[in-house]
Amino acid sequence: MALSFSVDNFLSIVKKRGGLQSPNRYSVYFGLPTKASLDVGVANDLSFLAQNIVFTGRSIATSDYKFYGPIQKIARESIYTDMAITFILTGDMSQRKFFDKWLHYINNTESFDIEYYDNYKANIYIGQLKPDGDMKIFNGSNVNDFSYAQQIEDAFPTNIGEITLGYDQNNTYGTLTVSFTFRKYKNLY
């Protein structure tokens, strides 16, 4: 049965589906690498200071297959896009120091040695809060409080962005964008 478009039909669908998605109602939680000695307090603070974050994307790589007739594309593998998170900076710059230390742990800038992969990767949890739910920090186990959630598996930072300074930066605050790569994500719903 096809519905004709009307404002009432639109409002009915939105109401039936729990309202509109609010992109400002989210939570992020950072696991820590098992061997790196990173500050747990700063890691917990990052949940509150993540200003912008995305649910990461995924695409399917294809290969051409020709048996007979036109070429057919077949699925070959998943491709996951890197993600960036922008953090609000506090006066002590602890967020910048945290990610500097993590990157230094991955690749020591004095010896240039690379740490073992299993020692520097960690999971990141991102959750979209339900429209009528309380603000909560997503920790991977309270998935029922969220309308959509992802576990970003085996993530680590690959780039720490610049911090803009300037005399024209009155009445604002500093931000830091950090890029992460990861192995895959798992939907938690």
Side-chain angles (χ1 to χ4, degrees), residues 160-187:
I160 300 173
E162 303 90 7
I163 299 171
T164 302
L165 305 174
Y167 291 116
D168 64 343
Q169 301 293 313
N170 297 15
N171 301 319
T172 188
Y173 54 86
T175 60
L176 174 69
T177 300
V178 180
S179 298
F180 294 86
T181 193
F182 57 95
R183 190 169 150 269
K184 67 176 188 165
Y185 69 80
K186 179 171 34 172
N187 290 320

Side-chain angles (χ1 to χ4, degrees), residues 141-177:
S141 63
N142 58 340
V143 73
N144 291 332
D145 296 325
F146 296 85
S147 56
Y148 186 84
Q150 288 181 338
Q151 177 180 319
I152 311 299
E153 297 182 356
D154 301 341
F156 60 93
T158 56
N159 182 50
I160 300 173
E162 303 90 7
I163 299 171
T164 302
L165 305 174
Y167 291 116
D168 64 343
Q169 301 293 313
N170 297 15
N171 301 319
T172 188
Y173 54 86
T175 60
L176 174 69
T177 300

